[in-house]
Amino acid sequence: MAKNKTNIQWTEITWNPTIGCSLMSPGCTNCYAMKFAHRLASFGGPVGLRYSGLTEVAGNGEPVWTGVVKVVEAALLEPLSWRGRKRIFVNSMSDVFHPALAFADIARIWAVMALARRHTYQVLTKRPDRMRDWLNDPATPAAVEAEMRKIRPGARLPAWPLRNAWVGTSIEDQKRADERIPILADTKAAVRFLSIEPLLGPVSLKTAASFPVLRRLHWVIVGGESGPGARPMHPDWARALRNECRQLRIAFFFKQFGTWGAPVPGKQRQTIGLMPDGREVPVGTSGATTLAKLGKKLAGELLDGRLHQAFPTPPQPTPPQGSLPFAKPAKKAA
C-alpha cells in the first residue's frame, strides 16, 4: 500500500479507480495531477501505457488534460484489501463526477466504498451539479447495491447516503463559491465539505449562501497554491474564512500558505506586495501585505502562529442490515 501514501495533510492515502480529467475553472491552471500524469505517461511499461493519452502539450509548452478519463480496473477493488481504518482521498488524479464517466462506473466506485465501509472516503469534485443529481436520484441506491452484489453476492447496502462517504466540492474564488456551495448543500450526504484550494481571491461563505444553507456544511479546507507558477494568497483571505467557520461552527482546516508566505530573512527569492483585492503592487505600497516566494515548506501551515487542522465529527454508524428507504427498480409489466 506504500504507493498510495500521500503528504496531503487532511487524508491518509489516495485511491484512484479512475484517472484523467479536463480543465474546469481557474483553480485548474496549475493542477499538480495534470503535470504528474504527463510525467507518468513518459515512463515505459504498464505505467506509461496506463497514463498515455490523458494529457497533451499545449501551445505554451505545458501539459494539459485531454478530457480522456479511464477506469483503472486494477485499482478498483483496492480498499477491500486494506487493513485497519483509513481516511481515503478518492481520485487524486481524476474527478469521480467527470462527464466522461458513466453513472454505472460511479456506481461501481460507490459499491466498493459500501463494501469496505470501515474506511472513510473523501470524494472531491469540481462538478457538484452532476454529483448532486446522481446522489439524489431515487434509483441510485439500487444501482449501487446491484454493483455490490457483483463483487460480493448477497451484499446489502447499509444505508443511504453512505455514512462513510464525505463529499465535497473545490472552489477558488467568490464566483465558484456562489455557484457550487448551494449545489453541494442540496446534495444527499452524511458529510459535506469545501476544499478552498488554491484560494485565489477573497471568498465569503455568507455571501455565497444563506445561513440555513451554510449549516449543511461540515468542513472547510483552505490553502494557498504551491509549485511552479504558484499564485499568492493574501493571509486576510484565510483569516476571514477561519472566522466565518468559527461563527458557523464548521470545522476549519488550514492546509498551507503555499509557495508565498511572510518574509524570512535570507530565505526569500522574490518579494511582492499583495493588496486585499488580489492586486500585486510594489513592496511598501500603502495597504499591501509583503509576501515572499519561499516554497511550501518554509511558507508553512501556521495561520497567525497557530495550527488549524480540525476535522468534522463523523456521523454515527448504522446497522449493516435492514430495510432501506430507497426505490427498487420497477418490475416489468407482464
Side-chain angles (χ1 to χ4, degrees):
M1 196 170 60
K3 66 179 181 179
N4 298 91
K5 289 185 178 180
T6 178
N7 292 322
I8 301 172
Q9 298 97 312
W10 47 263
T11 195
E12 293 176 313
I13 57 177
T14 60
W15 172 43
N16 283 288
T18 73
I19 53 176
C21 202
S22 56
L23 300 180
M24 183 71 179
S25 57
C28 301
T29 300
N30 294 320
C31 175
Y32 76 92
M34 183 168 65
K35 297 175 181 179
F36 189 41
H38 188 73
R39 185 164 69 89
L40 291 173
S42 68
F43 292 3
V47 172
L49 182 63
R50 177 179 294 182
Y51 283 87
S52 66
L54 300 185
T55 60
E56 61 187 3
V57 178
N60 62 359
E62 295 294 325
V64 64
W65 293 119
T66 61
V68 173
V69 179
K70 301 178 182 179
V71 177
V72 184
E73 296 292 342
L76 186 62
L77 303 182
E78 285 180 338
L80 297 175
S81 63
W82 291 343
R83 296 181 179 179
R85 298 176 182 272
K86 306 296 182 184
R87 193 163 56 244
I88 302 171
F89 176 23
V90 183
N91 273 1
S92 62
M93 299 294 292
S94 186
D95 188 326
V96 176
F97 290 94
H98 192 281
L101 284 173
F103 283 151
D105 294 322
I106 299 171
R108 296 173 69 198
I109 295 169
W110 239 257
V112 174
M113 292 160 57
L115 288 168
R117 57 182 177 270
R118 61 187 175 277
H119 306 308
T120 297
Y121 301 87
Q122 298 157 309
V123 180
L124 186 59
T125 182
K126 282 187 170 65
R127 300 159 175 88
D129 50 343
R130 197 164 191 254
M131 178 171 69
R132 175 199 57 194
D133 293 347
W134 186 74
L135 287 172
N136 290 7
D137 188 338
T140 293
V144 171
E145 187 171 86
E147 293 298 331
M148 291 171 64
R149 289 175 175 170
K150 291 178 183 178
I151 301 169
R152 188 175 295 165
R156 296 287 302 277
L157 191 63
W160 194 260
L162 293 183
R163 299 298 178 185
N164 61 334
W166 300 2
V167 302
T169 190
S170 299
I171 61 178
E172 61 267 37
D173 53 27
Q174 192 64 52
K175 175 178 171 58
R176 259 47 66 165
D178 295 346
E179 293 171 350
R180 297 174 185 171
I181 289 176
I183 296 173
L184 176 66
D186 190 40
T187 301
K188 286 186 177 181
V191 171
R192 303 175 194 85
F193 69 98
L194 301 175
S195 175
I196 310 179
E197 183 191 12
L199 178 54
L200 302 179
V203 170
S204 169
L205 304 180
K206 294 178 181 178
T207 299
S210 65
F211 179 79
V213 170
L214 294 174
R215 291 296 292 157
R216 294 175 64 79
L217 302 180
H218 304 93
W219 192 30
V220 170
I221 304 165
V222 172
E225 193 168 52
S226 60
R231 294 157 285 185
M233 177 188 70
H234 198 292
D236 282 353
W237 304 342
R239 292 184 182 114
L241 285 165
R242 175 199 60 193
N243 295 343
E244 283 193 324
C245 286
R246 184 180 296 157
Q247 294 167 5
L248 294 163
R249 298 184 180 179
I250 298 173
F252 177 76
F253 193 109
F254 184 68
K255 182 172 177 283
Q256 63 185 30
F257 266 100
T259 294
W260 297 87
V264 178
K267 298 294 184 179
Q268 56 261 29
R269 291 167 279 171
Q270 177 186 350
T271 56
I272 61 170
L274 190 67
M275 298 296 287
D277 61 5
R279 287 180 294 124
E280 292 186 24
V281 296
V283 173
T285 299
S286 177
T289 294
T290 300
L291 295 178
K293 194 172 186 179
L294 301 170
K296 183 170 67 174
K297 185 175 181 180
L298 269 179
E301 54 190 31
L302 299 181
L303 180 60
D304 293 333
R306 288 188 55 195
L307 195 66
H308 297 270
Q309 295 190 346
F311 285 86
T313 302
Q316 294 297 314
T318 54
Q321 299 294 333
S323 58
L324 296 173
F326 60 76
K328 290 286 187 179
K331 293 183 178 180
K332 294 182 178 180

